[in-house]
């Protein structure tokens, strides 16, 4: 709902912080549930969402605790997100508003009622009160390591009297990149953007706990988890139910051409231009300048990601192909002066190709590298022919 962010600011913490709320409640009538929301078409929601629900059936109190509240309209939101400087908040608001929001999106909500003792419910209640304090409710969001899925999990684990033990999965250990790609598989340009920003560390395999940054994975693990306390095991989930069935989602079409198709068109154009240049025995300097400008500006984005707080972006081998360096050689290319750029770039393309053995590149990047290699070869050939003529 569009008004949801405003509502939570006025409702935030009222139900928990008012004197007497929940304190003397009959805990048998209180349910604490993990809510898992399926993805919808907003770009930030393609990975799903997780929240906690406090439901006091005797008093009628029904509150959703959502660690995914943010203000998209804050200044430089996208820039701050890219650099890992985004602050999210814990919001507490009526559960029916939470349902209504996801109903409008067409998402489903799966509810897992937790199998907790009286002491554990009260411990979670106190943890939620603490999290709602002004000094605690805002946290530095990190998509892989500290997000709206991991925060509820961590509270549950801290508040149970024993130890939460998860059943092992199969031997498959996906990388962060593979998991992100599975979420954006219907959005090729979203996948392209992620793959451009994610570096070498995103291709390392993950363990089960790391995979729980995705709500769907956490829901699966919680379903099969047990609590070990006082020499006994009990299931972590008492009941699973569908709180909200899937609805109708409006799917907006991406750009009609995929990244691979765009890269192929560039390759075809590069071949045509190279043939024309060979016939004329003269390079199209403005074509080189255009490619170098785009290459350099895109490289600036990848370069600044080195300083991002996202650990998986700090070492990105795609910088070998897209980096700010060509911007410094554009004047020499426009004047058709001798320049070392083409030699430097040829070496970088070779290293970029070798790097593909260690890092998965964004879709179409190898085709782009081939297009740029054509520029290197044609400049080498024509400059070499010119030198021979002058001699």
């Amino acid at each position: 709902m569009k008004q949801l962010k405003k509502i939570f600011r006025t409702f935030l913490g009222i139900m928990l912080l008012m004197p007497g709320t929940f304190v003397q409640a009959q805990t048998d009538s209180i349910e604490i549930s993990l809510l898992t929301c399926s993805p919808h078409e907003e770009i930030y929601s393609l990975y799903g969402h997780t929240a906690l629900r406090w439901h006091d059936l005797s008093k009628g109190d029904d509150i959703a605790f959502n660690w995914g509240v943010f203000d998209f309209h804050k200044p430089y939101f996208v820039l701050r997100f890219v650099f890992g400087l985004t602050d999210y908040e814990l919001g507490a608001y009526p559960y029916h508003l939470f349902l209504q929001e996801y109903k409008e999106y067409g998402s489903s909500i799966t509810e897992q009622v937790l199998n907790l003792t009286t002491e554990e419910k009260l411990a979670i209640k106190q943890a939620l009160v603490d999290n709602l304090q002004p000094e605690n409710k805002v946290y530095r969001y990190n998509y892989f390591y500290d997000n709206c899925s991991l925060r509820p999990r961590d509270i549950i684990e801290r508040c149970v009297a024993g130890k939460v033990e998860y059943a092992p999965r199969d031997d498959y250990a996906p990388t962060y990149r593979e998991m992100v790609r599975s979420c954006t598989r219907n959005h090729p340009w979203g996948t392209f953007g992620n793959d451009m920003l994610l570096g070498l560390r995103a291709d390392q395999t993950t363990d089960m706990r790391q995979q729980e940054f995705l709500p769907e994975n956490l829901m699966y693990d919680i379903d099969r988890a047990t609590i070990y306390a006082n020499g006994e095991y009990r299931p972590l989930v008492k009941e699973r139910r569908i709180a909200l069935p899937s609805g109708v989602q409006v799917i907006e079409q991406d750009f009609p051409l995929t990244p691979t198709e765009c890269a192929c068109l560039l390759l075809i154009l590069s071949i045509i231009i190279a043939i024309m240049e060979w016939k004329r025995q003269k390079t199209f300097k403005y074509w080189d300048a255009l490619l170098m400008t785009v290459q350099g500006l895109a490289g600036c984005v990848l370069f600044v990601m080195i300083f991002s707080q996202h650990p998986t972006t700090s070492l990105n081998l795609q910088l070998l192909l897209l980096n700010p360096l060509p911007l410094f050689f554009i004047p020499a290319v426009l004047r058709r002066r001798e320049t070392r750029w083409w030699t430097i770039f040829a070496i970088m393309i070779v290293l970029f190709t070798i790097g593909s053995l260690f890092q998965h590149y964004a879709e179409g990047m190898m085709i782009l590298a081939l297009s740029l290699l054509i520029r290197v070869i044609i400049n080498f050939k024509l400059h070499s022919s010119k030198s021979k003529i002058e001699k």
Side-chain angles (χ1 to χ4, degrees):
M1 297 174 62
K2 293 181 179 180
Q3 300 299 320
L4 196 55
K5 296 183 181 67
K6 295 181 179 179
I7 292 173
F8 102 89
R9 295 182 190 279
T10 58
F11 192 82
L12 184 63
I14 291 178
M15 298 302 294
L16 277 182
L17 300 180
M18 284 180 59
T21 304
F22 300 145
V23 175
Q24 299 299 326
Q26 295 294 321
T27 55
D28 287 345
S29 68
I30 293 174
E31 290 184 344
I32 299 178
S33 307
L34 187 75
L35 304 175
T36 303
C37 310
S38 66
H40 57 84
E41 287 301 298
E42 296 291 342
I43 189 65
Y44 60 83
S45 75
L46 294 176
Y47 316 97
H49 187 52
T50 301
L52 281 180
R53 178 189 184 187
W54 177 288
H55 188 196
D56 187 338
L57 292 92
S58 64
K59 296 178 60 177
D61 297 327
D62 201 355
I63 303 174
F65 293 87
N66 176 10
W67 280 264
V69 175
F70 63 90
D71 186 356
F72 189 79
H73 300 289
K74 280 187 176 181
Y76 311 112
F77 177 86
V78 175
L79 189 62
R80 289 177 62 84
F81 185 89
V82 167
F83 279 98
L85 301 175
T86 310
D87 290 330
Y88 275 40
E89 296 185 24
L90 169 61
Y93 43 86
Y95 174 66
H96 74 272
L97 293 179
F98 186 84
L99 280 182
Q100 182 61 31
E101 178 185 20
Y102 282 90
K103 184 177 181 180
E104 292 179 1
Y105 289 139
S107 297
S108 66
I109 299 179
T110 302
E111 181 177 11
Q112 294 164 295
V113 182
L114 303 179
N115 184 22
L116 303 174
T117 65
T118 296
E119 292 76 14
E120 290 166 344
K121 291 177 182 179
L122 293 177
I124 289 180
K125 173 253 177 181
Q126 186 58 51
L128 293 173
V129 170
D130 293 341
N131 269 247
L132 281 170
Q133 298 302 315
E135 65 272 19
N136 297 329
K137 69 177 182 178
V138 178
Y139 70 101
R140 181 54 50 86
Y141 177 88
N142 186 289
Y143 177 57
F144 290 137
Y145 304 114
D146 192 1
N147 68 2
C148 56
S149 177
L150 300 177
R151 290 247 159 177
R153 179 202 67 182
D154 293 346
I155 280 186
I156 294 169
E157 290 181 347
R158 287 198 307 268
C159 293
V160 297
K163 180 182 179 182
V164 178
E165 297 187 1
Y166 298 96
R169 294 197 202 156
D170 53 33
D171 294 333
Y172 176 60
T175 65
Y176 281 119
R177 190 187 306 276
E178 288 171 338
M179 288 185 284
V180 170
R181 282 179 172 179
S182 71
C183 296
T184 60
R185 57 188 177 276
N186 296 324
H187 298 269
W189 285 101
T191 302
F192 176 83
N194 287 332
D195 283 340
M196 281 294 296
L197 297 180
L198 292 175
L200 188 62
R201 292 181 63 179
D203 291 303
Q204 297 176 354
T205 57
T206 57
D207 59 30
M208 185 176 72
R209 191 165 185 79
Q210 291 171 320
Q211 294 161 24
E212 289 173 351
F213 82 95
L214 284 180
E216 183 179 349
N217 290 342
L218 178 63
M219 179 179 68
Y220 179 82
D221 289 341
I222 290 290
D223 250 345
R224 303 161 67 234
T226 57
I227 300 174
Y228 180 73
N230 301 319
E232 297 180 350
Y233 286 94
R234 71 178 188 272
L236 178 56
V237 174
K238 179 171 64 175
E239 180 185 354
R240 172 173 170 165
R241 55 200 179 210
I242 301 300
L244 181 69
S246 298
V248 177
Q249 295 193 17
V250 178
I251 300 177
E252 297 181 2
Q253 294 297 320
D254 283 351
F255 185 71
L257 298 179
T258 67
T260 296
E261 291 169 342
C262 290
C264 288
L265 289 177
L266 177 62
L267 177 60
I268 293 171
L269 182 59
S270 297
I271 293 172
I272 293 173
I273 290 176
I275 293 172
M276 295 172 62
E277 289 173 323
W278 184 257
K279 290 181 177 179
R280 295 176 64 239
Q281 288 295 296
K282 191 175 184 180
T283 59
F284 291 166
K285 62 181 182 179
Y286 293 112
W287 175 244
D288 278 328
L290 174 63
L291 290 180
M292 293 170 70
T293 300
V294 175
Q295 180 186 357
L297 293 177
C300 288
V301 176
L302 295 187
F303 178 75
V304 297
M305 290 302 296
I306 295 175
F307 308 100
S308 171
Q309 291 190 17
H310 292 297
T312 51
T313 65
S314 57
L315 179 58
N316 190 340
L317 299 182
Q318 292 171 117
L319 267 167
L320 292 166
L321 191 69
L322 302 177
N323 59 76
L325 198 57
L327 297 176
F328 298 98
F329 292 93
I330 290 177
V333 169
L334 287 175
R335 293 184 179 93
R336 289 200 174 92
R337 293 180 178 175
E338 290 292 331
T339 173
R340 296 181 179 178
W341 166 242
W342 303 113
T343 301
I344 295 172
F345 192 37
I347 296 171
M348 295 170 71
I349 291 177
V350 172
L351 294 176
F352 171 83
T353 304
I354 296 173
S356 66
L357 300 174
F358 306 97
Q359 177 181 327
H360 290 279
Y361 295 150
E363 179 185 348
M365 286 295 287
M366 294 303 293
I367 301 175
L368 173 61
L370 180 57
S371 299
L372 296 176
L373 180 61
I374 290 174
R375 301 310 309 153
V376 172
I377 294 173
I378 197 69
N379 274 275
F380 272 143
K381 288 291 186 181
L382 293 184
H383 289 161
S384 176
S385 299
K386 181 180 177 181
S387 298
K388 290 180 180 178
I389 294 174
E390 289 177 351
K391 289 180 180 179

